[in-house]
Amino acid sequence: MQPSNVIYSQLLNYKAPRFEEFPDIDLYMDQMVELLTSWLAPLYFDQAKPCITASMINNYVKNSIVEPPIKKRYTRYHLAYLYVVMVLKQCFSLQEISTLITIYRTMQNPTHTADHFDTFASAFETMLHQVMKTSQANCTVIEEPNWQQHLMINSLQAVCCKIFCVYQIVSFSEAQDQTPSRKQTRSR
């Protein structure tokens, strides 16, 4: 595991992907996993295992959390959807995530995936930076949000606070490991 000061810097400077950054070409499973891992690994700093695997993606498809690939190829839509799933998975069950996404998509034309995703990514990035700086996730990310956007904001606040709490636990554990025990101090 990385030292907590490196983790802090990565979270404080985390850059969520935007829809236009996604490849214009369809991807195979291994390419999807590699790309998603590059974006998600800083958020899953407390895990030794990979944050996303081909098996996980196959399971999400099998359970209708994500639409199936077309001829074994994944589109930008799949990247966006899987990124959102993996961010929200920090706090929510897959069924809850599926419902949250459905609710959010009801506020506008569901063909506006790029706009929905970029709003999500921007809000998440802003809140994560805020909570890492101030220990609070109470910044304004959308002016005059509707109820669906309020739900998204509250969900992201929960995720950002969870990431911050896990970071604090890792930092505390790291500090404890570096502090000599009382027995060692007395025997010196």
Side-chain angles (χ1 to χ4, degrees), residues 92-143:
F92 299 97
S93 71
L94 292 177
Q95 186 58 48
E96 291 167 334
I97 293 167
S98 181
T99 304
L100 286 168
I101 292 170
T102 300
I103 290 169
Y104 186 71
R105 290 181 70 191
T106 63
M107 71 177 180
Q108 295 177 358
N109 183 337
T111 60
H112 293 144
T113 302
D115 295 336
H116 290 304
F117 179 80
D118 287 346
T119 300
F120 176 91
S122 177
F124 173 60
E125 185 179 281
T126 300
M127 275 189 258
L128 182 61
H129 295 168
Q130 179 74 20
V131 77
M132 292 308 296
K133 287 178 190 172
T134 67
S135 306
Q136 298 177 13
N138 59 358
C139 54
T140 302
V141 292
I142 298 174
E143 294 295 326

Side-chain angles (χ1 to χ4, degrees), residues 84-92 97 100 120 155-156 159:
V84 170
V85 167
M86 294 305 296
V87 167
L88 294 176
K89 191 176 163 196
Q90 299 266 355
C91 290
F92 299 97
I97 293 167
L100 286 168
F120 176 91
S155 300
L156 286 174
V159 169

